[in-house]
Amino acid sequence: MNKSQLQQRDREHFLHPFTDFHDLGKQGTRVITHAEGAYIIDIDGHRMLDGMSGLWCCNLGYSRNEIADAIYEQLKTLPFYNSFFQCTTVPSIELANALAEVAPGDMNNVFFTGSGSEANDTNLRLIRRYWDLQQQPDKRIIISRKNAYHGSTIGGASLGGMSGMHKQFQALDYIEHIQQPYWFGEGGEMSPEEFGVYAARCLDEKIQQLGPDKVAAFIAEPIQGAGGVIIPPQTYWPEVKKVLDQYDILLVMDEVIFGFGRTGEWFGADYYGMQPDLMTFAKAVTNGYFPLGGTMVSDRVAEVIKGKGGEFTHGYTYSAHPAACMAGLATINILRSENIIENVRDNTGPYLAKRWAELADHPIVGEARSLGMVGALELVRDKGSRARFDDDCTAGGVCRDMSIKNGLVMRATGDTMIIAPPLIITNQQVDELVEKARRALDDTAEALA
Ligand code: PXG
């Protein structure tokens, strides 16, 4: 089938996620057919450096046959068995143990799911179960942040703080959203350091307003990913820690994007020196090769839910799918044996930081920020006032298209351009990425002039 036939069939039967179906029907889809290393190739043979690791998941890139082989071997040996009814499988036991080894501190227990959204739904169930068993059933409210992304199930989307999503469904009524630590967009006249403290104090204010005896948990991504790679000011997490230390409230860190090395540490919690009670993961745990998610549970929480008996009435058919677990084991094995994360911390991360920061001199860039293997560019019409090109933030879409034309997958969230390249990217490929991003910026400036 040729490209237009495929696009036609796509249009007729395939409802894509987070997509304006009408628009997509008009424009036609990009058909991606191959991938190798850090590159994807479309049906026209157009080769693009994948600055988004698929969708924040292919941290090791696309050519890791060890993972594919591990999945295939497992599918031939035991393609499926469940872990309900006192059953288990060897891959799921092995992966649970491997995860306990790499997770921060005392996060020694794991509940497996099929995705990040399901894992956050699991967190909702675990949080309630924990406080019920602690004889504190009034602790019900969960505090999250505006513009957070925690998935797209009803639970995940309720936890998330994306207003566009909230308009299209009825959110759970026990979740409250506070200020996000987005200095460039919302810091006003404050310095980043002042704003970091301010955003963390909003948590304290909210807890006091609701009553600490009513608040069950605070959930946050270490760095907001889908919200626009919002790297909090360095003052933010230490101040949040101070706030949480005063109250008996669980901390849930959602590491779906930052887990497995993206900051140059295993988890964002490690990078920021935080000790969560629950920790969501998905995506890069299998390098995106097989759907798998889950939540890591600290000993503090596990002692209660394991110790006080009674069935935890929750689980999914594909919880701990053996082939997914083999993909996870193969991925962790590569991350460890090839020192991939250390290389991001000591070599490619600092190099990306240096090269990415150079883009701040571009006339339409208001800020260029990065950390580990993520980066963001804020597109502005006026650098001084941080004014955008228009209220609808259409510059981002233009820049994304220009970027793809120039052979780089860079994503737009509004007028914030974001990258999360595979952790295996070399410094030479970082140069290529930055050069292509600069060309995309030039083309965008010209198109918007
Ligand atoms: N938590 C976080 C922090 C995420 O980034 C999820 C939960 C949900 O995971 P699942 O596996 O259910 O998708 C995510 C997912 C984007 C984009 O546009 C980001 C995600 C998903 C789809 C698109 O950046 N993150």
Side-chain angles (χ1 to χ4, degrees):
M1 246 176 281
N2 65 29
K3 179 170 137 188
S4 62
Q5 285 168 323
L6 283 165
Q7 286 176 327
Q8 166 86 13
R9 288 171 70 82
D10 193 21
R11 188 179 301 130
E12 280 172 2
H13 297 290
F14 184 5
L15 299 173
H16 290 246
F18 281 89
T19 293
D20 179 332
F21 304 129
H22 183 74
D23 261 16
L24 189 75
K26 279 192 299 191
Q27 291 167 11
T29 35
R30 281 186 294 130
V31 184
I32 310 301
T33 52
H34 296 81
E36 54 191 31
Y39 296 84
I40 58 168
I41 298 132
D42 74 13
I43 197 164
D44 299 319
H46 184 48
R47 190 178 150 92
M48 292 161 274
L49 179 60
D50 185 7
M52 281 308 298
S53 303
L55 196 52
W56 322 86
C57 37
C58 303
N59 283 6
L60 299 169
Y62 295 100
S63 301
R64 299 314 302 234
N65 286 343
E66 306 95 307
I67 309 171
D69 290 344
I71 295 168
Y72 186 50
E73 287 307 315
Q74 185 59 42
L75 289 176
K76 287 188 291 184
T77 318
L78 178 70
F80 176 80
Y81 205 73
N82 70 70
S83 46
F84 294 52
F85 324 125
Q86 265 83 51
C87 291
T88 192
T89 68
V90 178
S92 57
I93 298 169
E94 295 290 330
L95 182 60
N97 280 266
L99 287 167
E101 278 173 25
V102 298
D106 72 341
M107 312 216 75
N108 290 319
N109 311 267
V110 58
F111 194 101
F112 287 113
T113 70
S115 68
S117 301
E118 287 176 2
N120 278 326
D121 279 36
T122 298
N123 284 331
L124 293 176
R125 301 289 308 275
L126 283 167
I127 292 165
R128 172 103 13 141
R129 178 82 176 139
Y130 174 82
W131 289 118
D132 280 352
L133 289 170
Q134 293 286 66
Q135 315 295 333
Q136 296 197 61
D138 289 341
K139 272 176 142 350
R140 286 274 194 250
I141 302 174
I142 296 168
I143 301 176
S144 179
R145 302 179 300 181
K146 293 176 187 155
N147 195 36
Y149 190 76
H150 295 297
S152 200
T153 51
I154 299 296
S158 297
L159 287 168
M162 300 215 160
S163 52
M165 290 174 75
H166 279 259
K167 281 185 199 138
Q168 294 188 6
F169 78 107
Q170 190 174 347
L172 302 174
D173 63 7
Y174 54 88
I175 296 162
E176 299 273 335
H177 296 88
I178 59 168
Q179 173 73 50
Q180 59 174 336
Y182 180 27
W183 176 76
F184 183 85
E186 296 166 7
E189 296 302 309
M190 281 184 247
S191 69
E193 292 71 27
E194 286 166 349
F195 182 69
V197 172
Y198 164 77
R201 301 308 307 171
C202 291
L203 175 61
D204 191 51
E205 208 173 281
K206 185 55 105 181
I207 293 168
Q208 294 202 37
Q209 181 200 328
L210 296 165
D213 52 334
K214 299 276 193 305
V215 180
F218 172 56
I219 182 168
E221 303 153 82
I223 295 167
Q224 279 148 282
V229 180
I230 294 164
I231 303 169
Q234 282 301 332
T235 49
Y236 180 73
W237 278 110
E239 193 67 22
V240 167
K241 192 168 186 309
K242 266 193 234 161
V243 170
L244 291 175
D245 283 349
Q246 292 169 50
Y247 306 103
D248 195 14
I249 290 171
L250 299 176
L251 170 63
V252 186
M253 288 187 79
D254 185 338
E255 299 265 7
V256 166
I257 284 179
F258 287 90
F260 305 96
R262 195 148 284 285
T263 62
E265 300 290 339
W266 273 90
F267 293 90
D270 297 314
Y271 181 84
Y272 286 113
M274 299 299 290
Q275 184 54 63
D277 299 291
L278 298 166
M279 194 178 81
T280 324
F281 66 88
K283 292 189 187 273
V285 61
T286 62
N287 202 38
Y289 275 41
F290 213 93
L292 177 70
T295 190
M296 299 300 301
V297 179
S298 67
D299 286 342
R300 167 193 172 186
V301 173
E303 270 159 28
V304 174
I305 59 169
K306 280 176 159 178
K308 297 204 175 162
E311 180 181 340
F312 180 48
T313 54
H314 174 71
Y316 307 103
T317 301
Y318 296 120
S319 287
H321 190 292
C325 292
M326 284 309 292
L329 280 167
T331 301
I332 291 175
N333 192 25
I334 297 170
L335 286 169
R336 279 174 148 171
S337 63
E338 297 183 14
N339 295 322
I340 304 277
I341 299 173
E342 293 78 1
N343 191 46
V344 170
R345 185 189 62 203
D346 302 334
N347 176 22
T348 50
Y351 190 68
L352 177 73
K354 176 172 154 283
R355 295 292 336 261
W356 192 251
E358 291 167 17
L359 296 172
D361 70 8
H362 196 280
I364 65 166
V365 173
E367 184 183 69
R369 56 177 180 269
S370 74
L371 194 161
M373 262 310 137
V374 288
L377 301 172
E378 298 284 2
L379 303 185
V380 291
R381 182 172 44 73
D382 180 65
K383 281 175 181 265
S385 64
R386 303 180 204 163
R388 303 292 189 178
F389 282 90
D390 58 40
D391 291 344
D392 297 335
C393 294
T394 49
V398 174
C399 190
R400 180 200 51 220
D401 293 347
M402 294 301 181
S403 182
I404 286 166
K405 190 189 81 180
N406 281 293
L408 169 68
V409 180
M410 179 159 65
R411 215 165 83 61
T413 45
D415 280 352
T416 309
M417 303 310 298
I418 57 184
I419 54 150
L423 309 187
I424 48 132
I425 188 172
T426 62
N427 286 345
Q428 204 180 347
Q429 287 167 328
V430 168
D431 290 337
E432 178 188 336
L433 186 153
V434 172
E435 277 149 32
K436 286 178 168 172
R438 187 176 285 280
R439 253 178 271 147
L441 291 166
D442 289 344
D443 292 348
T444 304
E446 197 183 309
L448 295 174

